[in-house]
Each structure stands twice: as structure tokens, then as C-alpha cells.
Amino acid sequence: MAKKKAFALRIHEDMLKAIEKWAADEFRSTNGQIEWMLMKALKEAKREPKKKEEE
């Protein structure tokens, strides 16, 4: 599994509420929803991280 790194995120309160609602609708955590949204945006921009080959 890929290593995860914690960091602080400042986000507008209304935006966070909308993401929390979306996450609940999709049965995801808020963190999981934000990760999913970021990965989707990376894929659409053709900038997704390269997968390291497992040894």
C-alpha cells in the first residue's frame, strides 16, 4: 500500500459541508472523498502518479 502523508488543509466552511454531504451520500469518509476527488482530477488532467512496481 502506498505511504500516506498527513497535512493541514484550509478549506472554506461551506465547501467542506458540501464535501461531507457528498461523502455521506457515497458512503465514504470525508478524507476518502477528498482523496477520490483529487485522484479523479489528476486522471482527467493526465497527471496521475505513476505506480511503483511491486518487488
Side-chain angles (χ1 to χ4, degrees):
M1 180 188 274
K3 186 172 145 183
K4 294 194 176 196
K5 183 175 179 177
F7 72 99
L9 174 65
R10 289 186 296 275
I11 187 170
H12 193 275
E13 186 177 355
D14 292 338
M15 184 182 294
L16 181 57
K17 285 180 183 177
I19 293 169
E20 288 171 335
K21 168 124 179 43
W22 190 6
D25 292 346
E26 299 284 327
F27 303 104
R28 289 189 181 104
S29 66
T30 302
N31 188 73
Q33 186 69 22
I34 291 169
E35 283 189 284
W36 177 83
M37 293 164 59
L38 290 170
M39 185 57 72
K40 183 177 182 211
L42 286 168
K43 285 179 181 179
E44 288 174 0
K46 299 193 182 342
R47 293 178 172 264
E48 63 188 296
K50 293 179 179 154
K51 295 178 183 173
K52 293 181 182 177
E53 291 186 33
E54 295 184 33
E55 296 177 14

